[in-house]
Amino acid sequence: MKKRRSDADQKVAELLRTAKESLQLSVAFLSRLDGTTQHLEVVESSVPFLFQEGNQQRQETSLCQAILDGELPAVIPDLRRHPAAMALPAARLPRIRSYVSVPVVLSDGELYGTFCAAGLTTDKGLTKRDQSLMTVLASAAAVLIEPSVRERERRGELLGRLVPVVSAGGPVVVLQPIVDLATGLRVGYEALSRFPAAWGKAPDVCFEEAHSVGLGHELELLALRRAADHLAVVEGYVAMNISPATLVQPEFAALMETLPLDRVLLELSEHDQVADYAALAAVLSPLRARGMRLAIDDVGAGFSSLRHIVITAPDVIKLDRSIVSGVDVDPVLTRLVSSLVEFGHGCGASVVAEGVETAAEASALRGLGVDLGQGWHFGRPELPSATVAPPTVQVPTARTPVAAPPVPAVAG
């Protein structure tokens, strides 16, 4: 079955039609050379039974390769005058007798393939002028096909990185403590995914890239499973992140059925669009009825979080670090946080501040009515088995620091 042409292929076909008609030859085609094989990618032919899209031949036996190697000229009015051409398969089947071939070169200088026109009879009228026309058309074709070439390269690079992570069971998941601002006691943890440092990419970027190549749902669910594994070795709740699109996958509900839902806080980012709130509620309602709590993450970083809050009625809202950092010295941030706290509490939700890095910020947040805090001031993300000295947490209502309880050791 003939493949369906993309929009770019259709435009390349128009260029090939121009070449075929201008040179009055039987066929014009765009070929891709991969180092071993010549692939006919787009073909405009008066004899389609001889020249078909998708046909392949060994690159080393093609007229195009001989021309690229300098063994034959780019314009060949009569193949019979060139013994090297007559020795190639194309001289016998489909019995090509005239030929023009120019390279297709991408913007970085990479050779993609060739832009060619061929005739089944000799054509003494073929000249260097025809080569110039073909070169112009080949340049236009290169512009059309380059985006798809780069997209294939991007997908290949991403799959090369992500598939091993998926095969290994997902990303490493560490925990960051969440602290009661009034007492300094740890009440829970947020599970945070970590990808290889060599990638130099933030976790949300890695998940976004995974979704772009069809691995996003699987990777998110693997991270969720690894986060759930920590429930067996820490006390309190564990906050787990999920995108709305993955949440409505059947595999998500199946996984959640296996967890102690009263210790799960599910976080939806305010950055993630919700396509269907009714579908979202259909999945969340039975889970919340069994004790799972819902949080809206990154509140204050944009406007969509307010819609999320109004429609989903979350149990927790998490203030984005962008409005927490410097809240102790910035009156604008102070007013904003105060308003969000009043809004959250008015909706029946508790309020968590993310990105708390100093005792002064913790004190200011407590004074504004924020319930819980999370950030480097209280502890950095780590594996539950890590042995580190417990951080000192400044309780806003006390003059002396209170040591936070250490991260519980791994069970068993």
Side-chain angles (χ1 to χ4, degrees):
M1 178 182 291
K2 185 176 181 180
K3 73 171 185 178
R4 183 177 180 180
R5 285 176 173 172
S6 66
D7 290 342
D9 287 345
Q10 290 285 14
K11 292 177 181 178
V12 170
E14 293 174 9
L15 297 175
L16 292 169
R17 197 173 304 120
T18 298
K20 184 170 77 74
E21 294 173 356
S22 298
L23 275 60
Q24 298 183 348
L25 294 176
S26 303
V27 62
F29 60 86
L30 169 71
S31 80
R32 176 172 59 87
L33 304 176
D34 66 11
T36 61
T37 305
Q38 181 182 37
H39 307 260
L40 299 192
E41 296 215 319
V42 186
V43 177
E44 283 295 309
S45 176
S46 302
V47 281
F49 59 92
L50 289 179
F51 299 90
Q52 295 184 356
E53 291 180 6
N55 281 0
Q56 302 175 7
Q57 67 172 323
R58 289 167 53 201
Q59 187 172 319
E60 63 184 17
T61 65
S62 68
L63 285 167
C64 291
Q65 188 61 52
I67 293 170
L68 289 171
D69 291 341
E71 298 173 1
L72 294 171
V75 179
I76 309 176
D78 187 351
L79 260 69
R80 294 175 300 179
R81 294 182 176 274
H82 300 273
M86 294 302 293
L88 297 175
R92 298 186 295 277
L93 185 69
R95 199 175 176 276
I96 291 174
R97 287 295 176 262
S98 51
Y99 204 72
V100 183
S101 177
V102 296
V104 176
V105 180
L106 303 179
S107 61
D108 62 355
E110 174 190 354
L111 174 68
Y112 176 81
T114 55
F115 197 88
C116 309
L120 302 181
T121 61
T122 60
D123 187 342
K124 296 180 180 179
L126 289 179
T127 65
K128 288 285 187 181
R129 182 177 180 181
D130 298 316
Q131 180 183 354
S132 297
L133 171 63
M134 292 288 284
T135 298
V136 171
L137 295 174
S139 297
V143 172
L144 291 171
I145 64 177
E146 183 152 1
S148 63
V149 172
R150 299 308 176 208
E151 174 59 17
R152 284 197 297 270
E153 291 175 348
R154 185 191 74 87
R155 287 183 61 86
E157 190 272 332
L158 291 180
L159 290 170
R161 286 194 285 108
L162 290 167
V163 167
V165 172
V166 170
S167 299
V172 173
V173 173
V174 295
L175 299 181
Q176 185 171 38
I178 299 171
V179 173
D180 186 317
L181 290 179
T183 65
L185 296 176
R186 294 181 181 180
V187 296
Y189 303 83
E190 180 177 3
L192 301 169
S193 294
R194 293 293 181 261
F195 293 88
W199 293 6
K201 295 176 182 288
D204 59 334
V205 173
C206 296
F207 282 111
E208 182 180 347
E209 290 177 337
H211 277 287
S212 75
V213 294
L215 293 177
H217 296 319
E218 185 176 5
L219 189 63
E220 282 196 56
L221 290 168
L222 287 171
L224 199 67
R225 190 177 299 278
R226 286 201 162 181
D229 289 342
H230 291 320
L231 287 167
V233 297
V234 297
E235 297 177 352
Y237 70 85
V238 173
M240 308 175 188
N241 294 273
I242 196 75
S243 70
T246 299
L247 186 148
V248 297
Q249 302 300 308
E251 296 84 356
F252 167 77
L255 172 59
M256 298 305 286
E257 288 293 330
T258 67
L259 304 183
L261 292 180
D262 59 329
R263 296 183 58 209
V264 173
L265 175 65
L266 195 69
E267 294 191 10
L268 295 181
S269 173
E270 84 94 29
H271 299 293
D272 295 322
Q273 298 298 314
V274 176
D276 187 342
Y277 278 102
L280 196 73
V283 176
L284 290 175
S285 293
L287 299 175
R288 297 180 75 179
R290 291 175 48 206
M292 188 193 78
R293 294 186 301 151
L294 177 68
I296 299 301
D297 198 9
D298 305 321
V299 173
F303 297 102
S304 60
S305 57
L306 298 180
R307 177 172 171 78
H308 286 355
I309 293 169
V310 169
I311 295 178
T312 65
D315 304 286
V316 176
I317 65 172
K318 300 191 72 174
L319 305 182
D320 187 74
R321 65 181 63 246
S322 64
I323 65 171
V324 169
S325 179
V327 68
D328 55 312
V329 295
D330 189 327
V332 175
L333 293 180
T334 298
R335 291 291 298 273
L336 178 56
V337 169
S338 178
S339 298
L340 288 172
V341 169
E342 182 179 0
F343 172 68
H345 287 169
C347 295
S350 59
V351 180
V352 181
E354 295 186 291
V356 182
E357 297 189 356
T358 68
E361 288 173 349
S363 180
L365 291 164
R366 176 65 183 89
L368 293 171
V370 176
D371 304 293
L372 307 173
Q374 175 183 345
W376 285 4
H377 177 58
F378 306 114
R380 300 202 175 200
E382 59 191 13
L383 291 171
S385 58
T387 55
V388 296
T392 297
V393 177
Q394 180 69 44
V395 178
T397 56
R399 293 185 177 275
T400 57
V402 177
V407 177
V410 177

